[in-house]
Amino acid sequence: MTDSIAPTPLADATLDEIRAALAPLIAANAGFDGWGDSARDLAADGAGVDRDVARLAFPGGAVDMVEAWFAHVDHAMLQRVPAERLATMKIRDKITALVEARLATAAPDREALRRALAILALPQNAARGVKLGWNAADVMWRAAGDTATDYNHYTKRAMLAAVYGATVTVFLDDESDGYAATRAFLARRIGGIMQFEKAKAKLLGRAELRPSLSRFIGRLRYPAV
C-alpha cells in the first residue's frame, strides 16, 4: 500500500515544506546510507532541491531528519485510518489500527527505522527520543478521540509509548508473513492496557464512594441549614 500524500511544489517552498517533502525521500536512502549528508543530498537531488537549501532545512542534522520522517509517518498513519473509519471502532480497535498503520508506513524503510532508533538511543539524543515517542502516543490517542486532561492524559500516553516502543522492537526483526508475530504481540500488549484501564476505573469508582474526611470536617464547621 502506498501513501497518498500529495507532493509539494518545491520551487517556492518554505523550509518547513521542503523538510516535509524530503523526509520520506531521506528515509528511503537512510537504510543504505544512514541518516547523514549522503542520504539528504540524494533526496534533494531527486526532488530538485538545492543541496545547500536542504542542509538549511535540517540544521540539527540526523535527529532533525528523523523527526521530520516521524512527522511524515504520523500524517500517513492518519490517512491510512481516517477519522470516519475510526468513528465506527471501539477504543481497542482504534489503537490497534493506528499502531498497525504506523508500522505499515515504516515497513518499506525498516532498516532506516532501525538506524533512526539507534541515533535516538545515543545519550545526547535520549531526551529528543523520549519526546518523539511521547508525541507518537499523543497523536494516536488524539486520533482515537481521547480528550482527557487530568492524570489519565499522561498515564495513557506513557503506557502507549511503552507498548509502541516494545512493538517496534519486535517489528524490526519480524520475518513472519504479514508481520503476524508483531500483530500478535501488539494485541497482547493492548489487551494489557485495556485491562489496566478497566481496573483503574473500578478503583476510582470505589474511591468516590468512600467517606471523605475533608467533607465530614467541613460539615461539622459549616452545617447545612
Side-chain angles (χ1 to χ4, degrees):
M1 183 182 297
T2 58
D3 303 323
S4 56
I5 299 176
T8 302
L10 300 178
D12 299 311
T14 66
L15 287 179
D16 284 343
E17 291 169 339
I18 290 172
R19 185 181 303 113
L22 292 184
L25 304 180
I26 295 173
N29 295 318
F32 301 96
D33 301 312
W35 292 89
D37 293 348
S38 178
R40 184 200 61 223
D41 289 345
L42 285 172
D45 292 346
V49 174
D50 185 272
R51 290 187 174 189
D52 290 334
V53 174
R55 187 177 300 111
L56 289 175
F58 302 98
V63 179
D64 278 5
M65 297 180 210
V66 170
E67 182 171 5
W69 182 48
F70 283 5
H72 164 80
V73 171
D74 286 338
H75 184 73
M77 172 190 70
L78 296 176
Q79 287 198 326
R80 286 176 180 269
V81 195
E84 56 270 23
R85 179 182 165 194
L86 288 169
T88 67
M89 297 179 178
K90 295 181 179 180
I91 186 65
R92 175 174 181 157
D93 296 332
K94 290 179 182 181
I95 296 299
T96 299
L98 288 164
V99 173
E100 289 183 348
R102 290 185 69 85
L103 297 179
T105 299
D109 302 306
R110 196 159 56 151
E111 185 57 33
L113 177 58
R114 190 191 307 276
R115 291 177 179 238
L117 295 178
I119 290 171
L120 295 176
L122 295 174
Q124 65 269 29
N125 299 328
R128 192 86 166 266
V130 170
K131 179 181 177 181
L132 291 176
W134 179 274
N135 183 69
D138 183 54
V139 170
M140 286 187 277
W141 271 119
R142 289 181 184 278
D146 180 64
T147 58
T149 56
D150 57 6
Y151 75 94
N152 284 307
H153 174 92
Y154 301 98
T155 58
K156 286 180 178 179
R157 282 149 182 79
M159 286 190 296
L160 182 54
V163 166
Y164 179 63
T167 303
V168 167
T169 300
V170 175
F171 167 72
L172 288 174
D173 295 315
D174 186 1
E175 300 301 332
S176 61
D177 291 341
Y179 300 110
T182 299
R183 293 175 186 274
F185 179 89
L186 174 62
R188 292 193 298 272
R189 292 303 180 272
I190 290 182
I193 290 181
M194 296 300 107
Q195 290 177 1
F196 175 81
E197 288 296 316
K198 289 179 181 178
K200 183 174 66 175
K202 289 181 180 179
L203 288 173
L204 289 175
R206 291 172 185 170
E208 290 177 356
L209 296 176
R210 292 172 187 166
S212 169
L213 179 60
S214 61
R215 287 200 299 269
F216 176 71
I217 293 174
R219 287 171 183 169
L220 288 179
R221 293 177 60 191
Y222 307 107
V225 177

